[in-house]
Amino acid sequence: NTDEPLKVMISGAPASGKGTQCELIKKKYGLVHIAAGDLLRAEIAAGTEKGKRAKEYMEKGMLVPDEIVVMMVKERLLQADAQEKGWLLDGYPRSFSQAKALEDLGIRPDIFILLDVSEESLVERVVGRRLDPVTGKIYHLKYSPPENEEIAARLTQRFDDTEEKVKLRLQTHNQNVEAVLSIYEDITVRVDGNISKEIVFAEVDKALASVIEKKSKTSSAA
Ligand code: AP5
């Protein structure tokens, strides 16, 4: 079936540029962007019990327990829009057990993109990051400044975007990344994320185009 939609996972250290690349991928490929961190922040904003528990972990830069995260992501992934248009999973799975939960359901991506960014850059990116609560767009005071004064005046900062907290988040990432990679080794594409977001996207785009071509070849051969 040539209409089989694209399934993408994107991973990388905190502030490696996952959300930024997802905006660009979504624009070009029309995939449904599902970000584990965004789902959790929505629970916090809604003041739910789940959100309150999640925030305790997020403030410490730790992984939110599986009993909260696994179901939340699974349900979103199985919704009709994601099944029809294809999906782009950002920040999940982040541990062996999360990856295993998807494998057990027979959910496997076509490609696993890993953004490689040096540790020095990560801190600078986190500290300068700002978000537009109206459009959801991600900015950086130095690398992606807001387009005008009106937007600049309404930008907000995430509660876990401090130098101290990003170091804890990075530690958590480093402890888990190898175990997750071990599950997706055969479909992993490492992309250098240290350069400008446009050049990073050109690499990501190339990798996605090649996956689509391969998919269409296998389906027309079948
Ligand atoms: P989450 O929200 O996923 O945070 P994260 O992984 O730390 O990633 P970020 O959103 O901080 O960064 P990003 O890679 O999207 O970078 P961005 O594009 O914004 O998770 C938060 C917390 O939730 C976790 O700590 C955990 O507690 C919990 N959680 C989430 N998922 C979980 C899971 N599966 N299981 C358990 N717990 C979970 O870019 C960053 C900045 O850099 C921006 O300002 C941007 O403009 C700039 N920038 C981007 N690209 C470039 C570039 N190429 N050059 C220069 N600047 C750039």
Side-chain angles (χ1 to χ4, degrees):
N1 176 2
T2 39
D3 294 321
E4 166 87 0
L6 192 60
K7 293 168 287 184
V8 178
M9 282 180 184
I10 186 157
S11 141
S16 55
K18 300 182 291 293
T20 299
Q21 292 305 316
C22 285
E23 280 178 7
L24 299 168
I25 296 169
K26 191 173 136 187
K27 211 193 286 164
K28 175 148 186 190
Y29 292 91
L31 305 177
V32 175
H33 178 208
I34 302 172
D38 289 348
L39 295 177
L40 290 167
R41 281 182 289 276
E43 292 286 340
I44 296 176
T48 65
E49 211 34 60
K50 253 193 252 174
K52 277 182 204 145
R53 277 201 62 208
K55 193 171 182 195
E56 290 172 24
Y57 291 87
M58 292 165 82
E59 283 190 315
K60 296 183 195 136
M62 292 162 68
L63 292 183
V64 173
D66 281 2
E67 70 220 53
I68 297 178
V69 180
V70 172
M71 269 298 275
M72 202 177 70
V73 171
K74 196 159 82 182
E75 277 171 10
R76 184 64 193 89
L77 211 48
L78 294 174
Q79 278 171 28
D81 60 343
Q83 292 301 308
E84 282 156 18
K85 295 180 190 154
W87 43 260
L88 172 58
L89 195 49
D90 163 5
Y92 189 100
R94 270 181 147 106
S95 65
F96 188 79
S97 62
Q98 291 180 6
K100 186 73 178 35
L102 291 185
E103 292 282 297
D104 288 348
L105 286 167
I107 300 176
R108 199 173 166 79
D110 299 306
I111 180 172
F112 185 93
I113 299 172
L114 180 67
L115 296 176
D116 259 329
V117 175
S118 69
E119 299 203 1
E120 312 88 83
S121 307
L122 297 174
V123 173
E124 194 195 8
R125 286 190 187 181
V126 154
V127 175
R129 170 164 51 189
R130 296 294 183 276
L131 301 163
D132 183 346
V134 177
T135 61
K137 202 172 160 196
I138 306 162
Y139 290 94
H140 190 282
L141 295 179
K142 184 166 155 197
Y143 301 114
S144 277
E147 295 87 350
N148 58 51
E149 279 302 314
E150 190 191 341
I151 298 174
R154 67 183 186 221
L155 294 182
T156 60
Q157 220 177 344
R158 253 167 59 178
F159 66 83
D160 56 351
D161 272 356
T162 62
E163 184 167 346
E164 176 208 0
K165 283 180 182 160
V166 75
K167 289 192 171 145
L168 298 171
R169 285 156 59 196
L170 184 59
Q171 230 171 36
T172 303
H173 170 79
N174 289 339
Q175 279 159 7
N176 292 290
V177 63
E178 290 303 326
V180 175
L181 278 173
S182 72
I183 295 193
Y184 301 111
E185 219 163 9
D186 56 326
I187 48 168
T188 296
V189 174
R190 284 178 187 263
V191 173
D192 180 4
N194 290 295
I195 31 196
S196 79
K197 66 176 181 185
E198 291 81 11
I199 303 179
V200 176
F201 181 65
E203 283 302 307
V204 168
D205 194 15
K206 223 192 301 171
L208 293 178
S210 127
V211 167
I212 290 173
E213 201 192 311
K214 248 188 255 157
K215 260 169 96 87
S216 75
K217 266 190 201 145
T218 20
S219 64
S220 60

